[in-house]
Short mmCIF file of all heavy atoms in Angstrom, two decimals:
data_model
loop_
_atom_site.label_atom_id
_atom_site.label_comp_id
_atom_site.label_asym_id
_atom_site.label_seq_id
_atom_site.Cartn_x
_atom_site.Cartn_y
_atom_site.Cartn_z
N ILE A 14 -22.79 -12.17 -7.98
CA ILE A 14 -22.09 -13.22 -8.74
C ILE A 14 -22.89 -13.55 -9.98
O ILE A 14 -24.00 -13.70 -9.85
CB ILE A 14 -21.65 -14.34 -7.84
CG1 ILE A 14 -20.65 -13.87 -6.75
CG2 ILE A 14 -20.92 -15.48 -8.84
CD1 ILE A 14 -20.50 -14.79 -5.57
N GLY A 43 -19.13 -3.08 -13.06
CA GLY A 43 -17.65 -3.12 -12.94
C GLY A 43 -17.22 -3.69 -11.78
O GLY A 43 -16.27 -4.54 -11.77
N SER A 44 -17.73 -3.28 -10.56
CA SER A 44 -17.16 -3.87 -9.34
C SER A 44 -18.06 -5.12 -8.89
O SER A 44 -17.80 -5.60 -7.88
CB SER A 44 -17.22 -2.83 -8.29
OG SER A 44 -18.53 -2.32 -8.03
N GLU A 45 -19.14 -5.31 -9.73
CA GLU A 45 -20.00 -6.56 -9.44
C GLU A 45 -20.67 -6.34 -7.95
O GLU A 45 -20.59 -7.36 -7.24
CB GLU A 45 -19.35 -7.80 -9.65
CG GLU A 45 -18.98 -7.86 -11.16
CD GLU A 45 -18.58 -9.41 -11.51
OE1 GLU A 45 -19.44 -10.14 -11.90
OE2 GLU A 45 -17.33 -9.66 -11.47
N LYS A 86 -9.99 -16.20 3.50
CA LYS A 86 -9.02 -16.97 2.98
C LYS A 86 -8.81 -18.38 3.70
O LYS A 86 -8.54 -19.46 3.05
CB LYS A 86 -7.67 -16.22 3.16
CG LYS A 86 -6.46 -16.84 2.50
CD LYS A 86 -5.24 -15.96 2.65
CE LYS A 86 -4.11 -16.70 1.99
NZ LYS A 86 -2.83 -15.83 2.10
N LYS A 90 -8.99 -22.10 2.17
CA LYS A 90 -7.84 -22.85 2.28
C LYS A 90 -8.42 -24.30 3.04
O LYS A 90 -7.94 -25.38 2.55
CB LYS A 90 -6.74 -22.35 3.16
CG LYS A 90 -6.08 -21.24 2.45
CD LYS A 90 -4.98 -21.69 1.63
CE LYS A 90 -5.18 -21.29 0.20
NZ LYS A 90 -4.24 -21.84 -0.82
N ALA A 158 -7.11 -25.61 -15.09
CA ALA A 158 -6.04 -24.67 -15.07
C ALA A 158 -5.43 -24.64 -16.50
O ALA A 158 -5.03 -23.43 -16.88
CB ALA A 158 -4.98 -25.00 -14.05
N SER A 161 -7.92 -22.93 -19.00
CA SER A 161 -8.01 -21.42 -18.77
C SER A 161 -6.73 -20.81 -19.17
O SER A 161 -6.74 -19.62 -19.60
CB SER A 161 -8.48 -21.03 -17.34
OG SER A 161 -7.54 -21.63 -16.38
N LEU A 163 -4.42 -21.77 -21.47
CA LEU A 163 -4.29 -21.82 -22.87
C LEU A 163 -5.18 -20.72 -23.65
O LEU A 163 -4.72 -20.21 -24.53
CB LEU A 163 -4.58 -23.19 -23.42
CG LEU A 163 -3.63 -24.27 -23.08
CD1 LEU A 163 -4.05 -25.63 -23.69
CD2 LEU A 163 -2.25 -23.88 -23.56
N ARG A 164 -6.31 -20.52 -22.96
CA ARG A 164 -6.99 -19.37 -23.74
C ARG A 164 -6.44 -18.08 -23.54
O ARG A 164 -6.68 -17.24 -24.50
CB ARG A 164 -8.53 -19.33 -22.83
CG ARG A 164 -9.45 -20.36 -23.41
CD ARG A 164 -10.81 -20.13 -22.78
NE ARG A 164 -10.71 -20.39 -21.24
CZ ARG A 164 -11.34 -19.66 -20.44
NH1 ARG A 164 -12.07 -18.66 -20.76
NH2 ARG A 164 -11.20 -19.93 -19.12
N ASN A 165 -5.46 -17.84 -22.66
CA ASN A 165 -4.75 -16.63 -22.78
C ASN A 165 -3.29 -16.72 -23.15
O ASN A 165 -2.43 -16.00 -22.80
CB ASN A 165 -4.76 -16.10 -21.16
CG ASN A 165 -6.19 -15.65 -20.82
OD1 ASN A 165 -6.72 -14.85 -21.47
ND2 ASN A 165 -6.57 -16.33 -19.74
N ARG A 166 -3.12 -17.86 -23.77
CA ARG A 166 -1.72 -18.20 -24.21
C ARG A 166 -0.73 -18.10 -23.14
O ARG A 166 0.39 -17.62 -23.32
CB ARG A 166 -1.48 -17.29 -25.37
CG ARG A 166 -2.46 -17.48 -26.60
CD ARG A 166 -2.19 -16.48 -27.62
NE ARG A 166 -1.03 -16.69 -28.51
CZ ARG A 166 -0.89 -16.10 -29.53
NH1 ARG A 166 -1.67 -15.20 -30.05
NH2 ARG A 166 0.31 -16.28 -30.26
N ALA A 168 0.88 -20.70 -19.91
CA ALA A 168 1.09 -22.05 -19.30
C ALA A 168 1.54 -22.08 -17.93
O ALA A 168 2.21 -21.05 -17.56
CB ALA A 168 1.98 -22.72 -20.24
N SER A 344 4.84 -9.08 0.95
CA SER A 344 4.28 -8.85 -0.50
C SER A 344 5.30 -8.08 -1.38
O SER A 344 5.27 -8.06 -2.47
CB SER A 344 3.02 -8.14 -0.57
OG SER A 344 3.17 -6.75 -0.23
N THR A 345 6.49 -7.78 -0.83
CA THR A 345 7.49 -7.06 -1.56
C THR A 345 8.51 -8.04 -2.08
O THR A 345 8.54 -9.19 -1.66
CB THR A 345 8.30 -6.03 -0.78
OG1 THR A 345 8.74 -6.69 0.29
CG2 THR A 345 7.46 -4.96 -0.27
N ASP A 354 12.50 -14.96 -11.18
CA ASP A 354 11.27 -14.44 -11.79
C ASP A 354 11.47 -14.42 -13.31
O ASP A 354 10.49 -14.90 -14.06
CB ASP A 354 11.24 -12.91 -11.35
CG ASP A 354 10.43 -12.77 -10.25
OD1 ASP A 354 10.12 -13.72 -9.48
OD2 ASP A 354 10.37 -11.63 -9.62
N TYR A 359 9.61 -17.98 -18.69
CA TYR A 359 9.90 -18.69 -19.77
C TYR A 359 9.84 -20.31 -19.61
O TYR A 359 9.87 -21.08 -20.51
CB TYR A 359 11.26 -18.48 -20.46
CG TYR A 359 11.40 -17.00 -20.92
CD1 TYR A 359 11.98 -16.09 -19.95
CD2 TYR A 359 10.90 -16.55 -22.07
CE1 TYR A 359 12.10 -14.81 -20.27
CE2 TYR A 359 10.99 -15.22 -22.45
CZ TYR A 359 11.53 -14.31 -21.51
OH TYR A 359 11.70 -12.92 -21.89
N VAL A 369 9.22 -32.30 -26.46
CA VAL A 369 8.90 -32.68 -27.87
C VAL A 369 10.32 -33.15 -28.41
O VAL A 369 10.48 -34.13 -29.18
CB VAL A 369 8.34 -31.39 -28.70
CG1 VAL A 369 8.35 -31.90 -30.17
CG2 VAL A 369 6.94 -31.15 -28.23
N TYR A 376 13.16 -41.10 -30.84
CA TYR A 376 12.40 -41.78 -31.99
C TYR A 376 13.44 -42.03 -33.17
O TYR A 376 13.58 -42.99 -33.81
CB TYR A 376 11.25 -41.02 -32.51
CG TYR A 376 10.31 -41.68 -33.43
CD1 TYR A 376 9.20 -42.39 -32.98
CD2 TYR A 376 10.69 -41.71 -34.82
CE1 TYR A 376 8.36 -43.11 -33.94
CE2 TYR A 376 9.93 -42.32 -35.66
CZ TYR A 376 8.69 -43.06 -35.30
OH TYR A 376 7.81 -43.81 -36.16
N ASP A 377 14.19 -40.92 -33.47
CA ASP A 377 15.03 -40.94 -34.63
C ASP A 377 16.24 -42.03 -34.41
O ASP A 377 16.81 -42.42 -35.29
CB ASP A 377 15.68 -39.65 -34.88
CG ASP A 377 14.69 -38.65 -35.46
OD1 ASP A 377 13.52 -39.23 -35.87
OD2 ASP A 377 14.93 -37.49 -35.69
N PRO A 397 8.78 -25.64 -11.88
CA PRO A 397 8.79 -24.24 -11.70
C PRO A 397 8.31 -23.73 -10.34
O PRO A 397 8.68 -22.64 -9.94
CB PRO A 397 7.90 -23.62 -12.75
CG PRO A 397 6.91 -24.71 -13.11
CD PRO A 397 7.57 -25.96 -12.78
N CYS A 398 7.51 -24.44 -9.75
CA CYS A 398 6.94 -24.13 -8.33
C CYS A 398 8.08 -23.80 -7.40
O CYS A 398 8.01 -22.87 -6.55
CB CYS A 398 6.03 -25.21 -7.75
SG CYS A 398 4.65 -25.40 -8.78
N MET A 409 8.50 -14.57 4.01
CA MET A 409 7.44 -14.58 4.87
C MET A 409 7.71 -15.08 6.20
O MET A 409 7.38 -14.47 7.20
CB MET A 409 6.34 -15.61 4.27
CG MET A 409 5.50 -14.87 3.15
SD MET A 409 4.23 -15.97 2.52
CE MET A 409 2.99 -15.61 3.77
N LYS A 423 10.23 -3.58 7.01
CA LYS A 423 9.26 -3.07 6.05
C LYS A 423 9.24 -3.63 4.70
O LYS A 423 8.16 -3.71 4.10
CB LYS A 423 9.43 -1.52 5.91
CG LYS A 423 8.28 -0.76 5.55
CD LYS A 423 8.23 0.67 5.98
CE LYS A 423 9.14 1.49 5.05
NZ LYS A 423 9.25 2.94 5.32
N ASP B 73 9.66 -42.40 -41.78
CA ASP B 73 8.81 -41.97 -40.67
C ASP B 73 9.67 -41.18 -39.75
O ASP B 73 9.20 -40.20 -39.10
CB ASP B 73 8.30 -43.21 -39.90
CG ASP B 73 9.37 -44.15 -39.37
OD1 ASP B 73 10.46 -44.11 -40.02
OD2 ASP B 73 9.25 -44.87 -38.25
N LYS B 74 10.99 -41.31 -39.75
CA LYS B 74 11.82 -40.59 -38.78
C LYS B 74 11.90 -39.20 -39.34
O LYS B 74 11.81 -38.18 -38.53
CB LYS B 74 13.25 -41.19 -38.78
CG LYS B 74 13.35 -42.40 -37.89
CD LYS B 74 14.86 -42.88 -37.89
CE LYS B 74 14.70 -44.27 -37.13
NZ LYS B 74 16.06 -44.92 -37.32
N ILE B 77 8.56 -37.55 -38.34
CA ILE B 77 8.58 -37.26 -36.86
C ILE B 77 9.41 -36.07 -36.65
O ILE B 77 8.96 -35.15 -35.80
CB ILE B 77 8.93 -38.52 -36.06
CG1 ILE B 77 7.95 -39.62 -36.17
CG2 ILE B 77 9.39 -38.14 -34.62
CD1 ILE B 77 6.63 -39.23 -35.30
N SER B 78 10.55 -36.03 -37.27
CA SER B 78 11.43 -34.82 -36.90
C SER B 78 10.85 -33.63 -37.46
O SER B 78 10.86 -32.57 -36.76
CB SER B 78 12.72 -35.07 -37.79
OG SER B 78 13.31 -36.29 -37.35
N TRP B 90 5.75 -19.88 -30.90
CA TRP B 90 4.76 -18.84 -31.29
C TRP B 90 3.56 -18.62 -30.47
O TRP B 90 3.18 -17.52 -30.14
CB TRP B 90 4.28 -19.28 -32.74
CG TRP B 90 3.17 -18.50 -33.24
CD1 TRP B 90 3.28 -17.15 -33.86
CD2 TRP B 90 1.73 -18.64 -33.24
NE1 TRP B 90 2.07 -16.72 -34.02
CE2 TRP B 90 1.02 -17.51 -33.69
CE3 TRP B 90 0.96 -19.79 -32.76
CZ2 TRP B 90 -0.29 -17.53 -33.94
CZ3 TRP B 90 -0.42 -19.74 -32.81
CH2 TRP B 90 -0.97 -18.56 -33.31
N PHE B 91 3.11 -19.74 -30.05
CA PHE B 91 1.73 -19.71 -29.16
C PHE B 91 2.03 -18.96 -27.85
O PHE B 91 1.26 -18.07 -27.52
CB PHE B 91 1.29 -21.06 -28.91
CG PHE B 91 -0.09 -21.11 -28.24
CD1 PHE B 91 -1.23 -20.91 -28.91
CD2 PHE B 91 -0.20 -21.34 -26.78
CE1 PHE B 91 -2.52 -20.96 -28.31
CE2 PHE B 91 -1.33 -21.38 -26.21
CZ PHE B 91 -2.59 -21.11 -26.92
N PHE B 92 3.13 -19.25 -27.29
CA PHE B 92 3.33 -18.68 -25.95
C PHE B 92 4.07 -17.40 -25.94
O PHE B 92 3.85 -16.50 -25.14
CB PHE B 92 4.07 -19.64 -24.95
CG PHE B 92 3.24 -20.77 -24.67
CD1 PHE B 92 3.53 -22.08 -25.11
CD2 PHE B 92 2.16 -20.70 -23.73
CE1 PHE B 92 2.61 -23.17 -24.80
CE2 PHE B 92 1.42 -21.73 -23.41
CZ PHE B 92 1.60 -22.97 -23.88
N PHE B 93 5.10 -17.18 -26.79
CA PHE B 93 5.86 -15.99 -26.80
C PHE B 93 5.42 -14.91 -27.87
O PHE B 93 6.03 -13.88 -27.94
CB PHE B 93 7.37 -16.39 -26.95
CG PHE B 93 7.92 -17.27 -25.95
CD1 PHE B 93 8.71 -18.31 -26.09
CD2 PHE B 93 7.55 -16.92 -24.59
CE1 PHE B 93 9.12 -19.20 -25.25
CE2 PHE B 93 7.93 -17.74 -23.58
CZ PHE B 93 8.82 -18.88 -23.91
N LYS B 95 2.49 -13.70 -28.45
CA LYS B 95 1.37 -12.85 -28.21
C LYS B 95 1.72 -11.42 -27.84
O LYS B 95 2.81 -11.13 -27.45
CB LYS B 95 0.57 -13.42 -27.19
CG LYS B 95 1.24 -13.45 -25.71
CD LYS B 95 0.42 -13.95 -24.65
CE LYS B 95 1.27 -14.13 -23.32
NZ LYS B 95 0.53 -14.73 -22.34
N SER B 107 -11.04 -2.84 -14.13
CA SER B 107 -11.60 -4.17 -13.62
C SER B 107 -10.95 -5.26 -14.30
O SER B 107 -10.70 -5.22 -15.55
CB SER B 107 -12.98 -4.37 -13.86
OG SER B 107 -13.83 -3.31 -13.07
N ASP B 111 -9.02 -15.00 -14.94
CA ASP B 111 -9.51 -16.34 -15.49
C ASP B 111 -8.50 -16.87 -16.45
O ASP B 111 -8.34 -16.49 -17.56
CB ASP B 111 -10.87 -15.94 -16.18
CG ASP B 111 -11.47 -17.32 -16.60
OD1 ASP B 111 -11.04 -18.28 -16.28
OD2 ASP B 111 -12.60 -17.30 -17.13
N GLY B 112 -7.68 -17.91 -15.84
CA GLY B 112 -6.57 -18.29 -16.74
C GLY B 112 -5.65 -17.29 -17.10
O GLY B 112 -4.88 -17.26 -18.15
N THR B 132 -11.51 -9.84 -10.14
CA THR B 132 -12.64 -10.80 -9.88
C THR B 132 -12.06 -12.10 -10.35
O THR B 132 -11.84 -12.33 -11.58
CB THR B 132 -14.02 -10.37 -10.54
OG1 THR B 132 -14.21 -9.04 -10.18
CG2 THR B 132 -14.99 -11.26 -10.10
N ASP B 135 -11.59 -18.18 -11.85
CA ASP B 135 -10.92 -19.43 -12.21
C ASP B 135 -10.61 -20.07 -10.90
O ASP B 135 -9.94 -19.47 -9.98
CB ASP B 135 -9.67 -19.01 -12.83
CG ASP B 135 -8.86 -20.33 -13.42
OD1 ASP B 135 -9.01 -21.27 -12.91
OD2 ASP B 135 -8.08 -20.00 -14.34
N ASN B 137 -8.42 -22.31 -10.30
CA ASN B 137 -7.13 -22.74 -10.25
C ASN B 137 -6.41 -21.97 -9.04
O ASN B 137 -6.45 -20.80 -9.00
CB ASN B 137 -6.41 -22.36 -11.46
CG ASN B 137 -4.93 -22.63 -11.56
OD1 ASN B 137 -4.40 -23.31 -10.53
ND2 ASN B 137 -4.29 -22.32 -12.55
N GLU B 141 -4.94 -17.74 -6.82
CA GLU B 141 -5.79 -17.16 -5.77
C GLU B 141 -5.14 -15.88 -5.19
O GLU B 141 -5.78 -15.25 -4.34
CB GLU B 141 -6.00 -18.27 -4.67
CG GLU B 141 -4.66 -18.55 -4.08
CD GLU B 141 -4.64 -19.87 -3.06
OE1 GLU B 141 -5.62 -20.48 -3.20
OE2 GLU B 141 -3.69 -19.95 -2.32
N GLU B 142 -3.99 -15.60 -5.49
CA GLU B 142 -3.22 -14.54 -5.01
C GLU B 142 -2.74 -13.65 -6.02
O GLU B 142 -2.21 -14.30 -7.07
CB GLU B 142 -2.13 -14.92 -4.06
CG GLU B 142 -2.19 -14.49 -2.62
CD GLU B 142 -1.21 -15.05 -1.74
OE1 GLU B 142 -0.20 -15.60 -2.20
OE2 GLU B 142 -1.27 -14.84 -0.54
N ALA B 146 4.24 -6.39 -6.50
CA ALA B 146 5.24 -6.29 -5.46
C ALA B 146 5.68 -4.83 -5.25
O ALA B 146 5.92 -4.35 -4.16
CB ALA B 146 6.42 -7.03 -5.58
N LYS B 149 3.53 -3.07 -2.91
CA LYS B 149 3.35 -3.83 -1.76
C LYS B 149 1.96 -4.38 -1.58
O LYS B 149 1.26 -4.24 -0.59
CB LYS B 149 3.54 -2.83 -0.58
CG LYS B 149 5.03 -2.33 -0.45
CD LYS B 149 5.21 -1.77 0.91
CE LYS B 149 6.70 -1.53 1.12
NZ LYS B 149 6.93 -0.97 2.48
N LYS B 151 -0.29 -7.75 -1.97
CA LYS B 151 -0.27 -9.21 -2.08
C LYS B 151 -1.76 -9.52 -1.53
O LYS B 151 -1.99 -9.51 -0.32
CB LYS B 151 0.58 -9.95 -1.25
CG LYS B 151 0.52 -11.39 -1.18
CD LYS B 151 1.85 -12.00 -0.75
CE LYS B 151 1.77 -12.93 0.36
NZ LYS B 151 3.01 -13.54 0.68
N PHE B 153 -5.36 -11.80 -1.38
CA PHE B 153 -6.18 -13.15 -1.72
C PHE B 153 -7.31 -12.87 -2.43
O PHE B 153 -8.02 -11.77 -2.01
CB PHE B 153 -6.36 -13.78 -0.31
CG PHE B 153 -7.08 -15.16 -0.48
CD1 PHE B 153 -6.43 -16.24 -0.84
CD2 PHE B 153 -8.48 -15.16 -0.23
CE1 PHE B 153 -7.02 -17.49 -1.08
CE2 PHE B 153 -9.17 -16.48 -0.49
CZ PHE B 153 -8.39 -17.56 -0.83
N ASN B 157 -14.93 -15.55 -7.29
CA ASN B 157 -16.16 -14.81 -7.66
C ASN B 157 -16.59 -13.68 -6.80
O ASN B 157 -17.67 -13.24 -6.74
CB ASN B 157 -17.40 -15.73 -7.76
CG ASN B 157 -17.27 -16.69 -8.84
OD1 ASN B 157 -16.76 -16.33 -9.91
ND2 ASN B 157 -17.57 -18.00 -8.63
N PRO B 159 -15.35 -9.67 -6.04
CA PRO B 159 -14.49 -8.73 -6.41
C PRO B 159 -13.66 -8.18 -5.24
O PRO B 159 -14.17 -7.92 -4.15
CB PRO B 159 -15.48 -7.56 -6.91
CG PRO B 159 -16.68 -8.23 -6.93
CD PRO B 159 -16.72 -9.47 -6.03
N ASN B 179 3.94 -16.98 -9.35
CA ASN B 179 4.66 -16.42 -10.42
C ASN B 179 4.58 -17.17 -11.77
O ASN B 179 5.54 -17.31 -12.46
CB ASN B 179 6.16 -16.49 -9.89
CG ASN B 179 6.84 -15.20 -10.56
OD1 ASN B 179 6.38 -14.52 -11.47
ND2 ASN B 179 7.89 -14.84 -9.98
N MET B 180 3.33 -17.66 -11.94
CA MET B 180 3.19 -18.49 -13.26
C MET B 180 2.41 -17.52 -14.25
O MET B 180 2.61 -17.62 -15.42
CB MET B 180 2.26 -19.62 -13.12
CG MET B 180 2.99 -20.62 -12.23
SD MET B 180 3.97 -21.65 -13.15
CE MET B 180 5.37 -21.59 -12.21
#
Side-chain angles (χ1 to χ4, degrees):
Chain A
I14 297 158
S44 62
E45 296 192 90
K86 182 176 175 178
K90 288 273 123 194
S161 57
L163 289 181
R164 275 187 296 145
N165 294 302
R166 297 169 76 167
S344 66
T345 58
D354 278 0
Y359 298 97
V369 174
Y376 190 93
D377 287 353
C398 294
M409 281 184 83
K423 202 156 81 178
Chain B
D73 60 329
K74 284 181 186 170
I77 287 287
S78 301
W90 168 82
F91 187 79
F92 291 109
F93 299 133
K95 62 179 171 186
S107 293
D111 191 1
T132 311
D135 187 337
N137 181 4
E141 70 187 13
E142 236 171 12
K149 294 192 171 184
K151 173 160 132 180
F153 181 76
N157 294 320
N179 211 345
M180 293 278 130

